[in-house]
């Protein structure tokens, strides 16, 4: 799908896709609890269109928790491949819902990696209008794993399936910490391992990297 949202500026893209290994190493878990829930049994591996292990992401543009999580998802996936046409958006403007969290959207983007396939579905735009629809297989994944014992709530977003080996439900990054910050301001923190904004973003990305 195309996106009417603006493309991420080169400076923001460089910051989020090029986090220094030394900063990542210093931050480590960044105070973020392990979000990886191992899938029990011996499920079939989840592979993408090119046959590589697939990372599947399900979210919505209006969701502030998805907004916060996407910063970590982009960092983690950029360690294995390259995004193209990554666009900017914000979460919804509802004052009771952590409004206008600055983030990216995966609508209109593409991802290339020699190691992973990435499939993303944003079900609604920031105004709650229908946007993308999961395929039957993707809906089956969500129905099977976006529930107990892997998630505390059924059908919650953001939801991620890492190759049918790990499930990640919810956001490891509290969106409250990004309130009032622009994309450029958030991106600028990613060089500072002492930043209270960077620590959960990069710490969560490190967990996702481990899962991938």
């Amino acid at each position: 799908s195309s996106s009417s949202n603006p493309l991420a500026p080169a400076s923001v893209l460089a910051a989020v896709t090029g986090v220094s290994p030394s900063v990542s190493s210093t931050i480590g878990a960044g105070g973020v609890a392990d979000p990886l829930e191992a899938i029990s049994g011996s499920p079939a591996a989840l592979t993408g269109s090119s046959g590589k292990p697939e990372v599947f992401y399900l979210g919505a543009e209006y969701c502030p928790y998805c907004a916060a999580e996407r910063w970590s998802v982009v960092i983690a996936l950029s360690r294995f491949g390259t995004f193209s046409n990554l666009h900017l958006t914000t979460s919804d403007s509802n004052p009771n819902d952590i409004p206008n969290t600055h983030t990216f959207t995966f609508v209109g983007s593409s991802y290339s990696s020699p190691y992973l396939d990435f499939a993303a579905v944003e079900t609604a735009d920031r105004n709650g209008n229908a946007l993308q629809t999961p395929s039957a297989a993707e809906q089956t994944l969500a129905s099977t794993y976006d529930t107990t014992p892997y998630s505390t709530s059924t059908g919650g977003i953001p939801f991620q399936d890492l190759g049918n080996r790990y499930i990640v439900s919810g956001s490891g990054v509290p969106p409250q910490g990004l309130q009032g910050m622009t994309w450029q301001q958030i991106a600028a923190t990613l060089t500072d391992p002492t930043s209270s904004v960077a620590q959960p973003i990069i710490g969560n990305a490190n967990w996702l990297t481990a899962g991938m």
Side-chain angles (χ1 to χ4, degrees), residues 65-126:
Y65 295 92
C66 303
E69 183 72 8
R70 285 191 210 97
W71 285 91
S72 297
V73 175
V74 172
I75 291 172
L77 284 169
S78 294
R79 292 167 171 166
F80 298 95
T82 304
F83 277 100
S84 300
N85 298 317
L86 194 62
H87 292 73
L88 303 177
T89 192
T90 64
S91 64
D92 66 28
S93 58
N94 183 348
N96 299 316
D97 195 25
I98 318 173
N100 303 315
T101 304
H102 285 57
T103 185
F104 308 94
T105 176
F106 294 125
V107 176
S109 71
S110 59
Y111 177 77
S112 175
S113 167
Y115 311 107
L116 299 170
D117 285 331
F118 177 57
V121 175
E122 305 281 13
T123 60
D125 66 17
R126 70 181 301 267

Side-chain angles (χ1 to χ4, degrees), residues 10-207:
S11 59
V12 172
L13 195 62
V16 75
T17 61
V19 172
S20 164
S22 63
V23 171
S24 293
S25 179
T26 300
I27 286 176
V32 177
D34 183 357
L36 305 172
E37 294 289 342
I39 293 179
S40 60
S42 301
L46 177 62
T47 55
S49 57
S50 66
K52 296 186 283 286
E54 180 180 285
V55 174
F56 172 61
Y57 164 93
L58 180 66
E61 291 181 354
Y62 66 77
C63 165
Y65 295 92
C66 303
E69 183 72 8
R70 285 191 210 97
W71 285 91
S72 297
V73 175
V74 172
I75 291 172
L77 284 169
S78 294
R79 292 167 171 166
F80 298 95
T82 304
F83 277 100
S84 300
N85 298 317
L86 194 62
H87 292 73
L88 303 177
T89 192
T90 64
S91 64
D92 66 28
S93 58
N94 183 348
N96 299 316
D97 195 25
I98 318 173
N100 303 315
T101 304
H102 285 57
T103 185
F104 308 94
T105 176
F106 294 125
V107 176
S109 71
S110 59
Y111 177 77
S112 175
S113 167
Y115 311 107
L116 299 170
D117 285 331
F118 177 57
V121 175
E122 305 281 13
T123 60
D125 66 17
R126 70 181 301 267
N127 298 312
N129 300 310
L131 193 55
Q132 297 178 318
T133 303
S135 68
E138 290 166 343
Q139 188 58 61
T140 297
L141 279 180
S143 298
T144 303
Y145 298 118
D146 194 9
T147 186
T148 55
Y150 306 107
S151 172
T152 56
S153 62
T154 297
I157 53 174
F159 166 78
Q160 296 171 79
D161 184 316
L162 311 184
N164 250 11
R165 291 296 178 263
Y166 294 101
I167 296 302
V168 180
S169 178
S171 176
V173 182
Q176 294 87 344
L178 309 184
Q179 282 301 281
M181 299 184 72
T182 66
W183 300 279
Q184 290 81 359
Q185 288 170 331
I186 297 169
T189 71
L190 301 179
T191 60
D192 180 6
T194 68
S195 166
S196 61
V197 174
Q199 287 174 351
I201 291 175
I202 296 174
N204 189 52
N206 289 342
W207 282 117

